[in-house]
Amino acid sequence: MISATVRRATAAAATTALAGLLAAGCGSEKAGEAAVPEGWRTLDAQQVSVAYPKGFAELAENKLPKSATAEADLMEDGKAVARIVVQTRFMQTGDLDMAVAGADAAYEFGGTSKDKEDVKVPGTGRATRIGHEFKSSGADHSPPRGTDMTAVDVVGMDKDDKPWVVRVIAPKGKLSRDDVDRIVGSVKVTG
């Protein structure tokens, strides 16, 4: 026969374990959500969303370049001095490493890949962050030709194993490292 003390100890242990599981479940749910800093807006690109800072303005659908699913620009004197661009299904592959190579290729001529690391993006199993440096071409209302530029790409796969890329492009020093990290940290796969 089991004593009352053993039953109470077993019930207490079970209750503690259940509370731990519930807390872990809630914690992982919150950890899986992308953070949107206060005062920022969200750029929704169908399968992927990303937050953008104050001062950026979302482009209307009829103003988007053919390659962009969504875009927000920071304008100064009629020129885009920084861009956050989302491209969904930007190439035909079901392999993340191939998608990363495809994103890298956009900077191959005259650009330098600075760093590459795996990052956590809610809604996808694996994503890669790539830093680049290059010179502005001066085209499409961008900074004057030859301006030192930086870009950070986040590349991943959506729920259908189709690749997407979020690009943060700005003249060197225009966006703080903290703002770039917040933008990258806000990326979320939604579809």
Side-chain angles (χ1 to χ4, degrees), residues 27-130:
S28 65
E29 212 171 84
K30 284 187 178 179
E33 296 209 3
V36 175
E38 189 175 329
W40 289 29
R41 302 193 70 152
T42 301
L43 192 60
D44 185 5
Q46 299 161 7
Q47 291 92 351
V48 180
S49 69
V50 60
Y52 58 92
K54 291 178 183 178
F56 279 75
E58 186 172 345
L59 265 64
E61 194 173 325
N62 64 343
K63 301 280 185 187
L64 289 172
K66 286 184 180 181
S67 60
T69 310
E71 181 174 328
D73 291 351
L74 178 63
M75 303 294 288
E76 288 180 4
D77 300 324
K79 293 186 181 262
V81 294
R83 288 186 166 129
I84 301 169
V85 181
V86 182
Q87 292 175 272
T88 56
R89 301 179 185 221
F90 77 102
M91 60 183 299
Q92 298 294 317
T93 185
D95 178 72
L96 179 61
D97 294 325
M98 186 68 79
V100 168
D104 255 345
Y107 305 96
E108 196 169 293
F109 298 107
T112 307
S113 181
K114 298 301 287 177
D115 51 51
K116 204 177 283 187
E117 65 179 326
D118 286 341
V119 291
K120 292 186 186 219
V121 172
T124 190
R126 189 174 150 233
T128 301
R129 175 180 174 155
I130 315 162

Side-chain angles (χ1 to χ4, degrees), residues 2-19:
I2 300 175
S3 72
T5 304
V6 172
R7 278 196 300 266
R8 278 192 293 264
T10 303
T15 302
T16 302
L18 179 59

Side-chain angles (χ1 to χ4, degrees), residues 146-157:
T147 302
D148 288 330
M149 304 289 289
T150 61
V152 173
D153 287 356
V154 180
V155 184
M157 307 299 278

